[in-house]
Amino acid sequence: MKQMSPKIPIGKLALLVSSMTEDELEPFSDQLKDVDYCTGKAGSMNMQKIIAAVETAAKRNHIIVENVYRETHALYHAILEALNGVMRGQIGAGDMMRTVGLKFAIVRGSPYEDLEEGEWIAVAFYGTIGAPVKGLEHEAFGLGINHIG
Amino acid sequence: MKQMSPKIPIGKLALLVSSMTEDELEPFSDQLKDVDYCTGKAGSMNMQKIIAAVETAAKRNHIIVENVYRETHALYHAILEALNGVMRGQIGAGDMMRTVGLKFAIVRGSPYEDLEEGEWIAVAFYGTIGAPVKGLEHEAFGLGINHIG
Amino acid sequence: MKQMSPKIPIGKLALLVSSMTEDELEPFSDQLKDVDYCTGKAGSMNMQKIIAAVETAAKRNHIIVENVYRETHALYHAILEALNGVMRGQIGAGDMMRTVGLKFAIVRGSPYEDLEEGEWIAVAFYGTIGAPVKGLEHEAFGLGINHIG
Amino acid sequence: MKQMSPKIPIGKLALLVSSMTEDELEPFSDQLKDVDYCTGKAGSMNMQKIIAAVETAAKRNHIIVENVYRETHALYHAILEALNGVMRGQIGAGDMMRTVGLKFAIVRGSPYEDLEEGEWIAVAFYGTIGAPVKGLEHEAFGLGINHIG
Amino acid sequence: MKQMSPKIPIGKLALLVSSMTEDELEPFSDQLKDVDYCTGKAGSMNMQKIIAAVETAAKRNHIIVENVYRETHALYHAILEALNGVMRGQIGAGDMMRTVGLKFAIVRGSPYEDLEEGEWIAVAFYGTIGAPVKGLEHEAFGLGINHIG
Amino acid sequence: MKQMSPKIPIGKLALLVSSMTEDELEPFSDQLKDVDYCTGKAGSMNMQKIIAAVETAAKRNHIIVENVYRETHALYHAILEALNGVMRGQIGAGDMMRTVGLKFAIVRGSPYEDLEEGEWIAVAFYGTIGAPVKGLEHEAFGLGINHIG
Ligand SMILES: [Mg+2]
Ligand SMILES: [Mg+2]
Ligand SMILES: [Mg+2]
Ligand SMILES: [Mg+2]
Ligand SMILES: [Mg+2]
Ligand SMILES: [Mg+2]
């Protein structure tokens, strides 16, 4: 069986888009031309609201096709995987955290040389997360990847 | 109570160091002067071996003090948090994956303006992960952060 | 030590009762005479409401004894095990899903030949589950088994 | 947005194929003509071996295309979801169980009326699981579903 | 419905027996007369070995009936619950830890005033746990409780 | 490398303070002089409220320094670890339980002989937990430990 790593690293691009300033992203502008992507913000730690924010952004920016469930399904599981990284496996995570600001990036493209591998989607979150009692916070990242399209 | 975001984003720096080429890292060379960091590779999906690889790199590069348990403890929990992102909450993760290549970065610094907040440590993993049956793979990422020192 | 598989598969019966039409269940009517069982529906993804719905059905149909805590305890952990299958280990599951319809079955019986093994209880859920943003959905199943009585 | 439940319940069919005798399956022979499916057995609780057994069966029976990673990826996550149900969220599950016999079914089809929704895959496990110390066991079940193709 | 807290706190007794010296346990000698209990040690972090050690101790000391599966089943789930506390929800826990010494206690009794509630079993672990790389360690506790008998 | 177990078992002391009556604690009054500690109660199963109750108690009793985030961070992760023991890895735990009474203890001290190891913090919960449907309950316990200060 063939052995093949991603040619276009949609995961890395999603991580960079979610965490970099426009200036910092400049050197990646060429790579970003090979994919579809968009960004958005989620200001609450309520899981339903975060998922809805990402799905809405993906549909408004035509990253996924609105009326096809399989596209929403692919995105949904990529979001869940990314949230696992943000929450780091802690119980009832969403209920126990207080986010001050989370930026997300959605990247869709064809990472593999072989055209049969088709399109994939990456979701990345970057931001700061704090305890529910008002206070300070530290950074958190999450990345999820899925086949789509 | 004061409200304060990280001044030096050690988590983002760990992401960049773990996923970028030397050329891509160039624009961040100034920011990297404000922190201690090192990198390494983990070629197996055995959890004990990955943890040992990161701990050994951290000690050899004097990112943590070898003989102080609290420093190993701080690093250890940062590694575990990062592995949660890599594994995305899947059961018995390590036993069910086959990694093709994982690069890690360890970054230690003082992220907060207030000196009392002291030093913190960030651990990032970036690479590709595949199913245990020999085949292809997609990207994965994880970040963990902890107070130290 | 003796080696012994269940003689009456209360788990399989619970799965069938939760997912089959009356016509489809017809061939199992004889097997179902050997156990006590009941069914019900849960229309929300709120975990407390689902658990309450199953417990209420079990008590109303005299599958468990209402005033004995150990019977409620046995049922409760069987429900939790079944919900793990429905949620497939995803974080904060209940908060991130939107169910369109979940049917449950509770089956109580003596699965083992050896009378000393006593009674056991099985809880099965079958239905369709969707993302919280209004859309389509796919099927989900869960099964939990515990000793009781 | 349209609201639509599965027309062909590939999850239920996978459940039936994994748990029923040939006689019991007879009434479902017509429904099974609408899907591709195969079965197999996994006699160990080692996660890697179970995953390999399912993947091998899926490829040998041409349920998935061997050389396309996205098909293996879709199947892989369906297996993981199904194993979550078998293991019921217990820690290090595979290491703490001793299975006596697990039968699996893989079902591939087009569950939705709308052709754009394409093909989906369901994986079901049914069997008995015991504690690692030689003894008796009870039933366990798991179902995973994913978009594919 | 009646409201009732445990009269004999088998969980607390298990915690004390697992962590106290004989002298420290002296004031509880009267309470311990009301229950059956035993202790043992587990020197490895392999989950199967820990479970086997507890089950063997329980059978040798006649805390559970050897030939009745439901008793082993009740104990098994109490052990799993206790291990969740020891591992604190970390992924692949057993594979990532190195224990230096874990003492366990098994307590069986009738905690509730109402005789119908019957017998229950508590399993407690106390010890020190360290990272897999040879070093120092800190304490860990776990408690699991189940109905039995 | 040196090998060293805790000299002052702050975890065990937290267990004792969280579960014992004043009379029972009497023999440990000398050991308790070597640490800072306080106790409190949490009457709800809402995770945010429990965390807030412990953090507030820790600050009011000067166990942690109010204005230093790293101290809140250290306490926060100790609380999360302890809650893992209370919840025993069950999904969406907080949403599925109904607590009748949980007492917590926070203990801060220098467990290790080597002064460089500095201060550590232990959080213990002990109480009774019941199903959400009004009924009876059994004991639960959790312990978390972290480096601090
Ligand atoms: Mg994947
Ligand atoms: Mg943290
Ligand atoms: Mg069981
Ligand atoms: Mg799904
Ligand atoms: Mg219980
Ligand atoms: Mg620790």
Side-chain angles (χ1 to χ4, degrees), chain A residues 28-61:
Chain A
F28 298 92
S29 54
D30 266 5
Q31 281 188 57
L32 286 168
K33 279 178 193 147
D34 294 334
V35 297
D36 286 325
Y37 73 98
C38 72
T39 65
K41 291 200 174 186
S44 116
M45 213 60 231
N46 178 283
M47 292 291 141
Q48 290 222 25
K49 284 184 189 161
I50 294 179
I51 294 173
V54 180
E55 289 193 5
T56 302
K59 286 172 181 172
R60 272 205 198 136
N61 293 281

Side-chain angles (χ1 to χ4, degrees), chain D:
Chain D
M1 181 187 276
K2 62 197 166 172
Q3 189 79 5
M4 189 175 69
S5 274
K7 181 190 55 170
I8 299 176
I10 59 172
K12 178 177 165 183
L13 290 175
L15 156 74
L16 300 182
V17 171
S18 73
S19 64
M20 279 181 163
T21 63
E22 271 188 46
D23 282 0
E24 291 169 346
L25 263 184
E26 177 52 35
F28 300 93
S29 55
D30 266 4
Q31 280 189 57
L32 286 168
K33 280 176 194 148
D34 294 333
V35 297
D36 285 325
Y37 73 97
C38 74
T39 65
K41 292 200 172 185
S44 118
M45 212 59 232
N46 178 283
M47 292 290 141
Q48 290 222 24
K49 285 183 189 160
I50 294 179
I51 294 174
V54 180
E55 289 192 5
T56 302
K59 287 171 180 173
R60 271 205 199 135
N61 293 280
H62 307 292
I63 307 294
I64 68 168
V65 179
E66 188 154 2
N67 284 324
V68 180
Y69 171 49
R70 66 185 287 121
E71 299 238 329
T72 300
H73 185 257
L75 174 62
Y76 177 66
H77 282 279
I79 299 172
L80 280 194
E81 288 199 0
L83 286 174
N84 265 296
V86 174
M87 294 311 174
R88 286 146 289 145
Q90 293 299 352
I91 24 159
D95 287 345
M96 289 178 292
M97 306 284 184
R98 185 185 59 87
T99 190
V100 176
L102 219 46
K103 191 181 165 192
F104 61 81
I106 316 168
V107 175
R108 179 176 181 154
S110 299
Y112 302 98
E113 205 115 17
D114 188 340
L115 287 184
E116 268 185 286
E117 297 300 352
E119 286 182 304
W120 292 65
I121 197 156
V123 173
F125 290 99
Y126 173 72
T128 50
I129 283 191
V133 172
K134 201 166 169 46
L136 304 172
E137 69 273 339
H138 63 65
E139 301 161 272
F141 178 77
L143 174 72
I145 287 187
N146 209 355
H147 61 285
I148 194 172

Side-chain angles (χ1 to χ4, degrees), chain B residues 103-122:
Chain B
K103 192 180 164 193
F104 60 81
I106 317 168
V107 175
R108 179 177 182 152
S110 300
Y112 301 99
E113 205 114 18
D114 189 339
L115 287 184
E116 267 185 286
E117 298 298 352
E119 286 182 303
W120 293 65
I121 197 157

Side-chain angles (χ1 to χ4, degrees), chain A residues 18 36 76 82-83 100 133:
Chain A
S18 74
D36 286 325
Y76 177 66
L83 287 174
V100 177
V133 171

Side-chain angles (χ1 to χ4, degrees), chain A residues 88 138, chain B residues 81 120 145-146, chain F residues 69 73 76-77:
Chain A
R88 287 146 290 144
H138 64 63
Chain B
E81 288 200 359
W120 293 65
I145 287 187
N146 209 354
Chain F
Y69 171 50
H73 185 257
Y76 177 66
H77 283 279

